Amino acid sequence: MDKIKHKILVLSGKGGVGKSTVSSQLALYLSHIGKKVGLLDIDLCGPSIPKMLGVENKEVHKSSSGWIPVYRDETQNLGVISIQFLLDKSDTPVIWRGPKKNSMIKQFIEDVCWGELDYLIIDTPPGTSDEHISVTEALLKHNPDGAILVTTPQAVSVSDVRKEISFCKLLGLPIIGIVENMSGYVCPHCSECTNIFSSEGGKLLAEQTNIPFLGKLPIDPYLTACSEKGVNYFKEYPNSSTLSALKTFVETFEQQNK
């Protein structure tokens, strides 16, 4: 952990808001611009990161120093660790009680040979459960940059993210900012963005809680297709609005942390 410059958790109080999408696309974008990145998937019951990055059929190996991440390609700019790599089959469920989950998460934090990284992105399950307490307490020893909170525009999602804000404050975890995911639908033909859900919920929450608003990520059918196939979205669609939004966030974050 001492060799990792920035450690960022991706959190939300609600499932289905796209934490794994935000985590994977942020990691892909950072590696796309030449950063050394690690992506840690601690959603033990629903590990989707390996499929989204096209590495679900690879295996993790263990050395005398700990686990070796699975790398997406020969550049080794993006390494991944997930419980999925330790299961016999992709449809094998993880039916564990809290103590075993907590033990696995501590191993993921302490026993992975990431090497020198610019960023470690940590994808989490929804809510404020044992997994969140374990990973937060383990990371706080290593001075994490903080958490990115993901919401969708609807009021029901925003209300659950408020609980995540309280969770972060109670545990002393800094909050980097709020991302509004699924913010409108981008037509694949005309590129017009339509608000099929409500809009501005994430931005309003950020204003009310005095937390930085990091931007909006629209629903993009091309992004969905790339995630399903494990294809690098940014190489396929270099002019996408998603790439533009992530670029703005990363540039702002790096400017603040110079």
Side-chain angles (χ1 to χ4, degrees):
M1 282 289 161
D2 294 336
K3 296 181 180 180
I4 301 173
K5 294 179 182 177
H6 301 294
K7 309 167 192 74
I8 298 173
L9 288 99
V10 179
L11 301 175
S12 179
K14 189 172 184 61
V17 298
K19 290 182 299 302
S20 295
T21 298
V22 172
S23 299
S24 61
Q25 297 311 309
L26 177 57
L28 277 171
Y29 174 73
L30 287 166
S31 65
H32 179 69
I33 62 174
K35 304 294 184 181
K36 294 282 286 185
V37 185
L39 180 52
L40 174 56
D41 181 5
I42 65 162
D43 191 348
L44 301 182
C45 294
S48 55
I49 292 294
K51 180 175 180 60
M52 297 175 79
L53 295 183
V55 295
E56 59 183 328
N57 295 321
K58 296 187 178 183
E59 295 181 359
V60 68
H61 299 284
K62 197 164 187 178
S63 70
S64 58
S65 302
W67 281 323
I68 306 297
V70 168
Y71 291 100
R72 194 169 188 276
D73 54 39
E74 63 279 359
T75 67
Q76 296 194 350
N77 275 353
L78 177 54
V80 184
I81 284 290
S82 171
I83 190 67
Q84 185 66 59
F85 299 132
L86 307 178
L87 304 177
D88 294 332
K89 298 178 181 178
S90 60
D91 57 355
T92 300
V94 176
I95 308 174
W96 293 350
R97 294 188 185 276
K100 192 169 183 180
K101 287 183 178 180
N102 296 341
S103 176
M104 177 58 70
I105 289 170
K106 288 178 182 177
Q107 287 187 58
F108 279 166
I109 296 295
E110 303 292 345
D111 298 335
V112 178
C113 299
W114 294 107
E116 293 188 4
L117 293 180
D118 295 305
Y119 288 88
L120 176 64
I121 309 299
I122 303 172
D123 182 35
T124 66
T128 54
S129 60
D130 282 0
E131 291 95 321
H132 298 81
I133 297 172
S134 295
V135 72
T136 302
E137 288 182 340
L139 272 180
L140 283 174
K141 303 173 186 176
H142 303 286
N143 300 314
D145 293 86
I148 294 174
L149 306 183
V150 182
T151 185
T152 52
Q154 305 98 310
V156 66
S157 176
V158 170
S159 65
D160 283 339
V161 176
R162 287 183 183 275
K163 299 171 186 174
E164 201 73 42
I165 294 173
S166 299
F167 169 85
C168 291
K169 290 180 178 179
L170 284 170
L171 269 69
L173 178 65
I175 299 175
I176 296 171
I178 295 173
V179 170
E180 184 177 295
N181 194 30
M182 305 184 197
S183 184
Y185 168 76
V186 176
C187 175
H189 303 292
C190 66
S191 299
E192 181 179 345
C193 186
T194 303
N195 291 318
I196 56 176
F197 301 132
S198 55
S199 63
E200 303 295 328
K203 186 176 182 181
L204 181 60
L205 175 63
E207 292 173 351
Q208 292 173 346
T209 55
N210 198 29
I211 293 172
F213 182 63
L214 303 178
K216 302 178 181 180
L217 297 176
I219 297 173
D220 185 340
Y222 291 132
L223 174 57
T224 303
C226 287
S227 296
E228 290 286 333
K229 298 175 183 177
V231 174
N232 191 328
Y233 172 71
F234 300 122
K235 288 185 178 179
E236 296 291 321
Y237 303 98
N239 298 316
S240 70
S241 55
T242 300
L243 186 146
S244 178
L246 288 172
K247 179 181 179 182
T248 299
F249 159 61
V250 170
E251 288 176 348
T252 302
F253 177 80
E254 293 196 326
Q255 185 67 32
Q256 292 174 346
N257 287 274
K258 278 187 175 179

